[in-house]
Amino acid sequence: MSSQPLSQNQERFELNLGPQHPATHGVLRVKLLMDGEYIVDAEPVLGYIHRMHELMGENRSWAQYLPNMGRLDYLSALSYNLGYVELVEKMAGIEVPERAEYIRVITTEMNRISSHLLWFGAFVLDLGGFTPLLYAFDDREQILDLLEAVTGSRLTYCYYLFGGCYNDVEDDFLSGCLAFVKRLRTRLPMYHNLVTKNVILRQRLEGVGPVSAEMCRKYGATGPVLRGSGINYDLRKNEPYSIYPELDFDVPVYPEGDSMARFMVRMDEMEQCLRIIEQAIAKIPEGPVMAEKVPKMIKPAAGDYYHAVEAARGTFAIRAVSDGANQAYRMKLRSPTFSNLSLFQEASRGMLLADGLAFMGSLDLVIPEIDR
Amino acid sequence: MDLGINVFEMVIYLVGFIAFAAANAAYLVWVERKGAAHIQRRTGPKEVGPYGLLQPLADGAKLMSKQFIIPAGVDRPLFILAPILTMVPAIMIFVTIPFSETILARDFNIGLLMILAFASVNVLALLMGGWASRNKYAVISAARVVSQNIAYEIPMLIIVITIVLISGSMNLTEIVAGQAGGILHWNLLPTNGNFLGPITFIIFFICSLAETNRAPFDLGEAESELIAGFHTEYSSMGFGLFFMGEYANIVIAAALTTILFLGGWYSPLPESIPYAGASSVVWFLVKMYLLIWLVVLIRWTYPRVTLWSLLNLSWKILIPFSLFNLLASAGLVKLLG
Amino acid sequence: MNKENVIQELQALAAEGMADQPEVASVAAVAGPAGEEEAKPQTAIPPEPRRNGVLEVDYAVRGVHVDVQIQGDQVVRAAQILDEAGMTLEAITGVDWINDQELEVVYDYSYTGGSCFRVVVRARISRHEPTIPTVSGVFPGANWHERETFDFFGIHFEGHPQLEYLLLPEDCDFHPLLKDFKGC
């Protein structure tokens, strides 16, 4: 804590929230200037888990950089895998077999659900409700088991390769996914009954942390934060990639812009993920999961390339500059929560400490992804 | 009575209450953990002893063997005094609580007053602990606890006055005696003659939750906001005493609710039924522990409220309601009595 | 949003810049001699520094629709144009073209209001005196992106409200993404 004595006459005081604090879910530090229980100013201080992934991108070959993608947002690593392999495939002109595309979508959406489930539990934990966390983990565990069977890892996946997927999925996995879809369909109404309808929770979230659509635009916020402010923007629809155009799903949008809206967006998104998985499993074709001719050394044509995908927390984009070599000349990773968190300072002014933390939780932060 | 027997009795009761408070604190932690575990579809403690029953002893041994760290720059006397001050009044209160017609240490005329007087010392202890810790989170927590406890003491006292009006006594034994004759005579139910009984009970229960800093009103501890609140800097038995004090207070709150509303040691059945209808300490404990279990259930079900809505609930809803309740009850007593 | 209008305005802006300082390429020719590039043919040669202007590029390959290169002092006006068009600033980053002795500041804009439209605005500045005006007045979200770019490249954003290290430790004295950074 601070070295300054707490003087009675000092009306405002600084409070260090973090870098080790239960509510920041990682090593984020927020320098708060408090007036009693009110936040006068909140300045996030980043960089406690900064690993310079962008420099690593310049020092490794395109293929060697693949595992780094799992270490950015460890909760929805497959979205990042997908963004990166799609970018490199675009650069090198590699065609991906259709079955691989379907597997990618199924596993990415499973991963998205697991990410949202963990957020759901951790968010209610932030609000003081401990029990939903364990229920969410119970469900998430099923996803991790399924994904472990195909990808070989439980958290920091590195499953997609340029031109396809590392290995084919078995029927067990697909039937397991369908069973999980069925299971979560029964669980989500329970979550709504137990948590969403709870009067204390609604009181804590409704009207707390309003973020207008204009503010989102000015700060570049994306993902559920933007959709919770009434903007229908989901890259899976707006900038279709992979096989998403062939699948029928909705983009949940809530116009209120408060924490409750962001909460509902993510809860509804899980249902949509289930629909995507179901359709993809119904449609998945037979065939190879790797393109036949993938060069061992990928040397994309010089120039710069941009590719954005919808990760669980918003737009994840990579700008890669190639000089024609086997490794990137410059690799820029645009992480969604970096922008989402940047509006915290402005939006949290004048909030109560408890509301500020509820608001922070509703932004769904993953610190390794912010700090990269 | 002769002085020797008196002293002997006193010592027995004192040792008994300390043991009771400590055992309750230890085993309520076990109940809480096990209960939480089953609510959350886990197993809970299971390694130490059968069903983890020895876990509290292991925890106690661990806490006692740890170093009591006094951080640099704290207000030493206050820092050391605070945890003791949470525990002592809690044990004092047990002196007046009648567990049955025979098991009580002292039968005061103003037992109720004494309980409330000692219960409010607890706030002072938490304030001292928070303030002396020289930790901003602890200070915020202390400020929260004080405003919360003051806000909820008022409706609680008004409700207590209502009960005193109905019973016509501040003596706990007499209050219980007034509810003899089965469940229909309990202060809880409108059949007792006071049709506002259930409202009175609900207000009192909410207040006792808030007074004991239990979820959803555990703003002082608010682990996701204030780390651990006022006991952030405490380790070893300093923390242990705060912890025990918290559970002792829960026991007291539940015991008081049992006395005021649930007919104390009387059976819910009419006395004419053999065995089940007989009044005994068992009934008292059953009611008390059911209430405590309710408190545990609430903790693991609800999220935490914010300070403002907590204070609003007290000042804008509970206090007017309890005042109205007092007036209405007074009128009823006048009319019917 | 009218895409044609935006492109026209950006074209006008870029043309203005060319009138001021006609060729970026000529600066490069002085600073980055061709001989140096030929000396190490195994690292493929980066593309010739292009002249200021607006290119409509193939979205399917490049991932953007419009590629704009302007003068460093025009980035704020470009941001204003795109802000009025309702676009959002997705990221700011830099590229170190050490062979040309230049740093490139890249602004990625996207449109969140409907159909997909991405614009990249780039400006090349001298590597020896890397200053460029801040766009955080137009997009407050640029604040952190510019601080990050300052961390990595040492690019000084003039008028930035708080140009301090964001991701790197506050006492560090290097900029890791510069190509002559050799580790610390």
Side-chain angles (χ1 to χ4, degrees):
Chain A
M1 289 308 298
S2 83
S3 55
Q4 290 215 326
L6 292 164
S7 134
Q8 282 174 319
N9 303 324
Q10 201 176 326
E11 283 183 9
R12 289 180 174 182
F13 61 96
E14 245 183 37
L15 185 68
N16 270 313
L17 196 77
Q20 304 294 339
H21 187 280
T24 56
H25 302 294
V27 280
L28 170 70
R29 173 177 159 218
V30 185
K31 229 158 75 179
L32 296 171
L33 185 64
M34 304 283 296
D35 185 355
E37 287 259 347
Y38 285 103
I39 297 173
V40 179
D41 190 39
E43 188 200 341
V45 181
L46 311 180
Y48 287 91
I49 190 164
H50 175 56
R51 292 146 296 166
M52 204 70 241
H53 274 293
E54 296 184 8
L55 184 59
M56 287 186 225
E58 295 175 17
N59 295 336
R60 297 171 180 204
S61 75
W62 296 102
Q64 280 172 333
Y65 194 51
L66 262 172
N68 282 51
M69 289 297 122
R71 272 85 181 159
L72 289 167
D73 180 350
Y74 54 82
L75 294 180
S76 69
L78 283 174
S79 303
Y80 286 67
N81 276 232
L82 185 64
Y84 180 63
V85 292
E86 288 205 329
L87 172 85
V88 176
E89 281 155 6
K90 190 153 83 174
M91 293 166 84
I94 301 168
E95 285 289 320
V96 185
E98 218 185 354
R99 185 175 172 85
E101 293 276 23
Y102 274 91
I103 294 173
R104 284 178 179 183
V105 166
I106 294 168
T107 43
T108 305
E109 294 303 317
M110 288 293 269
N111 200 195
R112 192 188 308 274
I113 297 177
S114 84
S115 166
H116 282 347
L117 277 174
L118 189 127
W119 161 82
F120 164 71
F123 181 47
V124 184
L125 181 64
D126 280 351
L127 303 175
F130 193 91
T131 303
L133 179 78
L134 275 297
Y135 279 67
F137 264 67
D138 196 0
D139 287 338
R140 185 170 173 269
E141 201 64 19
Q142 316 265 331
I143 301 179
L144 295 192
D145 287 346
L146 284 167
L147 288 180
E148 188 186 11
V150 269
T151 66
S153 44
R154 287 173 75 82
L155 201 65
T156 51
Y157 308 106
C158 177
Y159 176 50
Y160 310 144
L161 302 178
F162 308 136
C165 300
Y166 181 67
N167 50 19
D168 200 354
V169 297
E170 288 165 11
D171 288 344
D172 280 0
F173 171 75
L174 297 179
S175 57
C177 284
L178 282 178
F180 175 78
V181 168
K182 221 171 152 188
R183 175 194 161 101
L184 199 63
R185 286 246 164 87
T186 64
R187 301 273 286 187
L188 282 175
M190 183 178 78
Y191 292 155
H192 283 301
N193 282 335
L194 289 178
V195 178
T196 317
K197 288 182 185 166
N198 185 308
V199 63
I200 296 178
L201 185 102
R202 297 198 83 92
Q203 200 188 20
R204 291 279 322 253
L205 296 185
E206 275 169 0
V208 168
V211 178
S212 67
E214 178 66 7
M215 192 170 176
C216 283
R217 187 177 73 80
K218 289 280 189 186
Y219 278 92
T222 47
V225 179
L226 186 61
R227 292 195 282 279
S229 299
I231 306 278
N232 187 343
Y233 181 71
D234 187 322
L235 288 176
R236 291 173 295 174
K237 285 273 190 200
N238 290 50
E239 209 176 325
Y241 55 95
S242 194
I243 52 148
Y244 284 109
E246 293 163 33
L247 302 169
D248 174 36
F249 63 98
D250 300 325
V251 178
V253 176
Y254 283 80
E256 294 87 0
D258 55 4
S259 300
M260 193 69 205
R262 291 185 280 277
F263 179 89
M264 289 309 294
V265 165
R266 293 198 183 89
M267 296 303 279
D268 290 358
E269 229 169 69
M270 282 196 260
E271 279 165 36
Q272 298 303 323
C273 291
L274 296 179
R275 281 180 68 192
I276 295 175
I277 292 168
E278 240 176 9
Q279 292 171 40
I281 290 177
K283 282 186 180 174
I284 188 167
E286 290 297 320
V289 292
M290 273 299 285
E292 275 174 18
K293 283 182 183 166
V294 180
K296 280 226 163 60
M297 286 274 257
I298 289 171
K299 291 190 174 178
D304 61 347
Y305 303 83
Y306 195 76
H307 188 66
V309 293
E310 184 75 23
R313 283 157 192 79
T315 303
F316 167 63
I318 309 180
R319 166 168 292 284
V321 181
S322 165
D323 58 357
N326 187 27
Q327 56 197 33
Y329 185 79
R330 171 84 178 94
M331 180 83 76
K332 160 71 184 172
L333 307 168
R334 190 266 179 202
S335 68
T337 30
F338 184 81
S339 297
N340 291 0
L341 179 63
S342 68
L343 55 77
F344 182 76
Q345 184 163 16
E346 188 181 321
S348 67
R349 273 189 200 125
M351 270 185 196
L352 283 172
L353 177 63
D355 287 345
L357 290 171
F359 173 48
M360 200 201 286
S362 77
L363 294 176
D364 193 6
L365 305 178
V366 171
I367 312 303
E369 180 214 31
I370 297 172
D371 284 356
R372 276 159 296 145
Chain B
M1 245 189 279
D2 137 43
L3 187 70
I5 295 172
N6 243 343
V7 169
F8 178 70
E9 202 185 286
M10 211 174 80
V11 170
I12 289 286
Y13 271 117
L14 195 61
V15 170
F17 285 132
I18 291 175
F20 182 72
N24 259 305
Y27 276 89
L28 285 181
V29 175
W30 180 84
V31 167
E32 178 119 53
R33 290 174 68 178
K34 212 68 180 168
H38 286 288
I39 291 168
Q40 295 162 357
R41 314 175 83 183
R42 312 183 268 120
T43 324
K46 64 173 184 137
E47 292 296 329
V48 191
Y51 305 105
L53 272 171
L54 299 179
Q55 186 69 46
L57 301 182
D59 286 348
K62 183 204 74 175
L63 278 177
M64 276 184 238
S65 58
K66 291 240 164 162
Q67 185 191 358
F68 182 61
I69 298 167
I70 300 178
V74 302
D75 192 329
R76 257 184 107 91
L78 289 187
F79 188 80
I80 296 168
L81 198 59
I84 299 169
L85 202 57
T86 55
M87 204 56 207
V88 171
I91 291 169
M92 296 288 284
I93 290 173
F94 278 111
V95 171
T96 55
I97 289 181
F99 288 90
S100 79
E101 270 162 298
T102 43
I103 308 178
L104 85 162
R106 266 272 171 263
D107 194 7
F108 285 118
N109 269 338
I110 46 161
L112 197 51
L113 189 65
M114 190 191 140
I115 289 183
L116 294 167
F118 274 111
S120 38
V121 175
N122 190 37
V123 190
L124 184 64
L126 303 189
L127 172 65
M128 270 165 59
W131 178 258
S133 293
R134 198 165 175 269
N135 176 321
K136 285 172 190 167
Y137 289 107
V139 172
I140 295 176
S141 160
R144 281 182 175 191
V145 167
V146 170
S147 51
Q148 172 184 347
N149 275 268
I150 288 173
Y152 279 83
E153 226 151 64
I154 297 167
M156 196 173 192
L157 283 171
I158 296 172
I159 291 300
V160 166
I161 293 171
T162 314
I163 295 294
V164 170
L165 263 179
I166 292 166
S167 309
S169 169
M170 282 186 102
N171 185 321
L172 293 170
T173 322
E174 280 172 30
I175 292 175
V176 175
Q179 304 176 62
I183 192 167
L184 294 180
H185 295 272
W186 292 0
N187 284 338
L188 166 69
L189 293 177
T191 46
N192 188 32
N194 175 18
F195 66 87
L196 289 169
I199 297 175
T200 321
F201 172 75
I202 289 168
I203 296 176
F204 186 83
F205 186 70
I206 292 173
C207 291
S208 65
L209 273 183
E211 283 285 294
T212 48
N213 296 317
R214 286 289 297 190
F217 307 119
D218 58 341
L219 289 172
E221 263 184 70
E223 78 283 343
S224 56
E225 294 158 27
L226 303 179
I227 324 280
F230 50 85
H231 59 67
T232 305
E233 297 289 348
Y234 281 91
S235 54
S236 177
M237 272 322 274
F239 165 74
L241 282 177
F242 270 124
F243 214 60
M244 278 166 68
E246 187 191 322
Y247 282 97
N249 283 329
I250 295 166
V251 173
I252 289 164
L256 196 59
T257 317
T258 308
I259 291 166
L260 294 184
F261 293 95
L262 303 180
W265 54 84
Y266 287 113
S267 160
L269 304 168
E271 274 179 68
S272 50
I273 298 172
Y275 300 114
S279 58
S280 94
V281 68
V282 177
W283 281 115
F284 187 94
L285 293 179
V286 165
K287 290 170 192 171
M288 191 180 90
Y289 285 118
L290 279 178
L291 276 174
I292 292 173
W293 178 241
L294 185 62
V295 170
V296 171
L297 275 184
I298 287 174
R299 165 155 182 199
W300 298 105
T301 313
Y302 287 105
R304 185 180 306 116
V305 299
T306 55
L307 181 65
W308 263 212
S309 54
L310 174 92
L311 296 181
N312 279 341
L313 177 67
S314 172
W315 293 105
K316 292 188 181 161
I317 299 172
L318 293 185
I319 292 182
F321 262 85
S322 55
L323 275 172
F324 164 76
N325 190 23
L326 174 65
L327 284 176
S329 302
L332 275 176
V333 169
K334 185 79 183 163
L335 279 177
L336 305 174
Chain C
M1 185 189 68
N2 193 335
K3 289 177 190 174
E4 303 305 319
N5 275 356
V6 174
I7 295 171
Q8 273 172 16
E9 280 182 56
L10 288 170
Q11 262 164 350
L13 183 72
E16 219 175 275
M18 279 158 81
D20 283 353
Q21 277 178 327
E23 278 173 77
V24 185
S26 68
V27 183
V30 179
E36 219 178 85
E37 284 174 8
E38 280 161 16
K40 35 177 184 173
Q42 74 279 14
T43 41
I45 299 136
E48 275 289 296
R50 51 177 269 228
R51 299 162 65 106
N52 290 353
V54 176
L55 290 180
E56 288 185 51
V57 294
D58 183 7
Y59 167 75
V61 178
R62 299 285 170 181
V64 290
H65 294 91
V66 178
D67 191 330
V68 185
Q69 177 157 327
I70 48 173
Q71 287 294 324
D73 48 13
Q74 291 175 318
V75 289
V76 179
R77 285 183 52 203
Q80 278 160 351
I81 291 171
L82 294 163
D83 180 34
E84 276 160 27
M87 296 188 73
T88 180
L89 178 68
E90 207 155 72
I92 298 175
T93 188
V95 183
D96 182 13
W97 297 108
I98 193 166
N99 289 344
D100 305 333
Q101 289 296 307
E102 280 182 343
L103 288 170
E104 188 178 83
V105 187
V106 186
Y107 301 78
D108 285 305
Y109 293 94
S110 70
Y111 185 58
T112 54
S115 62
C116 169
F117 185 54
R118 289 185 182 277
V119 177
V120 53
V121 175
R122 48 182 96 235
R124 289 204 168 204
I125 51 176
S126 157
R127 204 168 177 278
H128 306 293
E129 212 181 306
T131 51
I132 194 163
T134 174
V135 299
S136 59
V138 186
F139 288 102
N143 185 322
W144 281 14
H145 289 289
E146 287 180 348
R147 278 174 73 182
E148 184 197 300
T149 313
F150 166 72
D151 282 13
F152 294 167
F153 293 93
I155 294 171
H156 191 82
F157 289 88
E158 276 176 334
H160 191 284
Q162 188 192 7
L163 200 62
E164 295 163 10
Y165 282 108
L166 180 69
L167 294 176
L168 298 182
E170 55 199 15
D171 59 345
C172 85
D173 53 356
F174 48 82
H175 300 289
L177 283 184
L178 293 176
K179 288 285 173 188
D180 50 7
F181 170 70
K182 293 278 179 268
C184 51

